[in-house]
Amino acid sequence: MADRTYLVTGGCGFIGSCFIRMILDRDPQAQVINLDLLTYAGNPANVASIEESPRYRFARVDVRDLAGLESWVEQSDVIVHFAAESHVDRSTSEAAGAFIDTNVGGTFALLEAMRRYRPEARFLQIGTDEVYGDIEAPNEPDEDALLLPSSPYSASKAAADHVALSFERTHGLDVLVSRCTNNYGPYQYPEKMIPLFITNALENIPLPLYDGGTQIRDWLRVEDHCEAILLLLGSGESGEIYNIGANQRPERTNADITKMILECLGQSESGVEVREGLRPGHDQRYAVSTQKIRSLGWMPQRDITDGIEATVRWYADHRDWWTPLKSGAYRTFYEAHYGSGASDFKTS
Ligand code: NAD
Ligand code: TDX
């Protein structure tokens, strides 16, 4: 089998780095180019285990920079586009412009680079289930459902999906879109709920649970997401959208997940601090139908109880990874966003 070059954007982030580790491990023919701007969320430590591989190359490139993309895109067979501004809470502030710019403009520039320099490549747009907005139980939208994004983040992701599919229709490029539910696991930036709550609990800092914790997310281990991506790159059809999700039964509220984390650490719920109004437009429930990708042969392999336990253990064992992240600009964001609730913040 010939070598295949995967161009991964955002490969120093949470999911992209998992994907790179997985593809190099699973496919001995794979060559990987990782293009990442190294924003606050991009961390070279996430790919430290493979950075010496002769099959891996990294370049600090902004996906909005068409000229900077050219030489990389022209060498690629497959483009997996993870790079994005990904945190909903940052998008509800004055930072929203960066979400439109990166998530829409970056997707456009990458597609345009492919159209000009490598039109034979395959392009996977990594999307999110948040584009469907709040879903009333027991509904599960399929891929044809109306898009009703609530936050500037999810609106920018919905726009990016449309831009991607327009390149398939208009220019005949091989483009597909995946829309996954909430991921969790190692190397997730500790601004997202699960790593934030685990690391705060480990540091005896309050756990800021929004709006009573009744909201439902369909948590999926990041490795299960990456396996679905691998499957789609081989078996997905051009022009198609594929939902990816765990379809947790029973569904888990944020309060349930918080309790699971605290139980793993042997802590009581006294550290939970219910916070109201920190997420304007807070979606109550996400859920998707995953029949389409399951019909290709994918199903999640990792149970939520074991998955959370293993995740808690990983953060407990990798303080050296997350402690430096929870200082500097992180702390400035934390204090601005969480306000007085951040008064117990202890890291230097
Ligand atoms: P992340 O924030 O951990 O990583 C994003 C990466 O993109 C970082 O390495 C960052 O440096 C890079 N980046 C940002 N702007 C860039 C630019 N202009 N040029 C090049 N690189 C840039 O995000 P994540 O959680 O790994 O999410 C990856 C993708 O998956 C995103 O597109 C997100 O919308 C999507 N997604 C995430 C989840 C989830 O639960 N985390 C679920 C579904 C879909
Ligand atoms: O401090 C918090 N307290 C809290 O209660 C934070 C950060 C979050 N929450 C709640 C809000 C949500 O209901 O937890 C839930 C999960 O929040 P996040 O971890 O911020 O994830 P979410 O907003 O659901 O989005 C994530 O999954 C879908 C990713 O960040 C997105 O990039 C992805 O598209």
Side-chain angles (χ1 to χ4, degrees):
M1 210 167 78
D3 285 0
R4 226 150 72 115
T5 300
Y6 294 80
L7 188 154
V8 176
T9 70
C12 294
F14 165 48
I15 308 174
S17 64
C18 177
F19 178 75
I20 291 176
R21 292 190 300 273
M22 186 177 280
I23 188 98
L24 286 172
D25 182 50
R26 304 259 175 106
D27 178 357
Q29 306 295 331
Q31 304 280 334
V32 172
I33 298 168
N34 176 10
L35 301 187
D36 197 302
L37 183 60
L38 299 179
T39 67
Y40 78 94
N43 185 352
N46 297 2
V47 284
S49 64
I50 49 86
E51 72 185 351
E52 298 300 324
S53 166
R55 296 187 288 127
Y56 172 75
R57 281 174 289 165
F58 168 78
R60 189 171 190 181
V61 172
D62 185 336
V63 290
R64 293 166 294 183
D65 175 12
L66 186 56
L69 290 168
E70 176 176 354
S71 64
W72 301 107
V73 168
E74 66 186 9
Q75 311 174 44
S76 306
D77 301 307
V78 176
I79 299 174
V80 191
H81 181 36
F82 293 97
E85 288 293 336
S86 69
H87 190 37
V88 172
D89 287 337
R90 290 177 188 257
S91 82
T92 60
S93 69
E94 66 280 359
F99 285 72
I100 309 300
D101 221 35
T102 294
N103 299 356
V104 187
T107 303
F108 165 72
L110 194 58
L111 286 156
E112 180 60 13
M114 174 166 138
R115 184 182 75 80
R116 291 190 195 179
Y117 311 121
R118 188 68 173 126
E120 309 79 13
R122 161 154 271 210
F123 187 107
L124 175 58
Q125 165 66 9
I126 303 294
T128 171
D129 69 336
E130 296 200 12
V131 295
Y132 300 116
D134 270 329
I135 306 300
E136 215 167 288
N139 298 335
E140 292 181 340
D142 66 17
E143 290 79 356
D144 296 325
L146 187 67
L147 302 190
L148 285 170
S150 310
S151 69
Y153 163 71
S154 49
S156 70
K157 293 294 289 184
D161 289 0
H162 286 308
V163 174
L165 291 171
S166 78
F167 271 67
E168 193 270 345
R169 170 82 185 240
T170 303
H171 301 299
L173 299 185
D174 180 2
V175 175
L176 54 163
V177 172
S178 62
R179 291 185 180 145
C180 190
T181 59
N182 284 62
N183 286 212
Y184 70 99
Y187 300 104
Q188 185 168 28
Y189 194 80
E191 65 189 350
K192 308 287 168 36
M193 186 188 90
I194 289 182
L196 174 67
F197 283 14
I198 296 172
T199 57
N200 277 15
L202 286 167
E203 294 189 298
N204 296 311
I205 296 169
L207 278 50
L209 184 64
Y210 297 166
D211 307 325
T214 59
Q215 294 72 25
I216 290 165
R217 300 289 181 269
D218 185 31
W219 297 100
L220 183 72
R221 265 292 285 210
V222 62
E223 296 87 348
D224 279 319
H225 182 189
C226 291
E227 275 158 4
I229 292 169
L230 281 181
L231 176 72
L232 290 181
L233 292 175
S235 311
E237 273 185 47
S238 186
E240 294 293 315
I241 301 165
Y242 296 87
N243 291 340
I244 303 168
N247 299 119
Q248 297 289 347
R249 293 292 179 273
E251 293 188 325
R252 309 286 178 157
T253 64
N254 293 340
D256 295 334
I257 299 289
T258 306
K259 203 166 161 202
M260 288 166 79
I261 290 170
L262 291 171
E263 274 172 12
C264 289
L265 290 168
Q267 294 189 10
S268 76
E269 290 180 49
S270 63
V272 174
E273 189 174 75
V274 174
R275 303 296 305 273
E276 304 292 337
L278 289 188
R279 182 167 292 198
H282 196 177
D283 282 329
Q284 183 61 27
R285 174 178 177 269
Y286 295 141
V288 286
S289 164
T290 57
Q291 228 177 325
K292 189 167 169 181
I293 189 160
R294 283 175 193 250
S295 73
L296 295 180
W298 175 86
M299 59 183 282
Q301 301 297 318
R302 294 154 185 94
D303 165 75
I304 182 83
T305 311
D306 296 346
I308 293 286
E309 207 179 295
T311 304
V312 169
R313 216 174 316 119
W314 189 89
Y315 286 90
D317 291 346
H318 291 81
R319 281 175 182 267
D320 55 331
W321 180 82
W322 56 263
T323 307
L325 299 181
K326 293 184 88 172
S327 62
Y330 175 96
R331 187 166 173 172
T332 307
F333 163 76
Y334 198 93
E335 284 168 359
H337 180 67
Y338 293 97
S340 58
S343 57
D344 291 331
F345 208 101
K346 290 200 190 81
T347 52
S348 55

